[in-house]
Amino acid sequence: DTTLLVLGELDDAHKAIVLEAADRFSAIGAGATGPASAEAYVQAAELYRGAGDAEKRRVALDQVATRGDGPLLYAAIVALAGQQADQGDVDGAIARLRPFEADSDRFVTQDAIAQIGTLLETAGRKPEAIEQYNRFLEKHPETPMAVEIRARLARLGAPAAPAPEAPVTPGTGG
């Protein structure tokens, strides 16, 4: 069958095939170790997501979170936090992300602070979101992501710290 199937719009027969594949990846993850195990669970989680099985996705992501490290670990935590927030537990989702605000990886730190702001904004907790976004700008004012954070603050009607001026380099006229 060469028909392109969009996950989420699967008929029951194709959904069963996707779930079977996800279960196989979970079994591979259970039998493997290290990065191979974490990666198998990542694949399973994505297939479970596509098939609409939130609980099995959560279980697979929990396995990634206990077996993965670096980017895989952080990606699993972000996905788990998103799923938790979708189920109404925004504070629990934020608690999952808070430890990453002080991560040694600069991208992870920035992303965690921004993700928390997004969760707060989506939950309608505007003052807390504004505070979180301004916290981002205090710590990371000159990053590419700061441009997006300033736009979010403007959308919320909140003043943002101005973008830092470019440094003047002698002899360049600037």
Side-chain angles (χ1 to χ4, degrees):
D1 183 25
T2 59
T3 305
L4 177 64
L5 295 172
V6 178
L7 293 179
E9 298 177 10
L10 298 175
D11 59 39
D12 288 343
H14 287 99
K15 186 176 181 178
I17 292 168
V18 171
L19 287 171
E20 180 181 343
D23 288 342
R24 287 183 182 193
F25 273 111
S26 286
I28 291 168
T33 60
S37 175
E39 185 60 39
Y41 280 116
V42 166
Q43 296 302 321
E46 283 305 299
L47 289 169
Y48 288 133
R49 181 189 60 76
D53 193 328
E55 179 55 25
K56 282 190 173 182
R57 178 177 186 245
R58 186 197 57 75
V59 169
L61 288 170
D62 279 338
Q63 290 298 320
V64 177
T66 61
R67 297 166 187 251
D69 61 2
L72 279 179
L73 169 62
Y74 181 67
I77 295 297
V78 169
L80 283 165
Q83 189 171 4
Q84 198 168 359
D86 289 345
Q87 294 171 348
D89 185 7
V90 174
D91 290 328
I94 290 169
R96 276 189 194 270
L97 293 171
R98 284 277 184 222
F100 293 94
E101 290 181 301
D103 195 87
S104 61
D105 183 300
R106 186 172 168 89
F107 168 79
V108 169
T109 297
Q110 292 173 31
D111 190 67
I113 295 169
Q115 291 278 352
I116 291 168
T118 301
L119 288 171
L120 291 164
E121 182 180 352
T122 302
R125 293 162 60 175
K126 183 178 170 180
E128 292 172 89
I130 290 169
E131 182 180 327
Q132 185 72 12
Y133 290 147
N134 278 317
R135 199 160 150 244
F136 180 98
L137 293 176
E138 288 170 12
K139 294 180 179 225
H140 309 286
E142 299 180 33
T143 61
M145 199 181 289
V147 174
E148 170 62 24
I149 297 299
R150 285 186 181 84
R152 291 178 189 185
L153 283 164
R155 185 178 63 240
L156 292 171
E165 294 182 24
V168 176
T169 306
T172 63

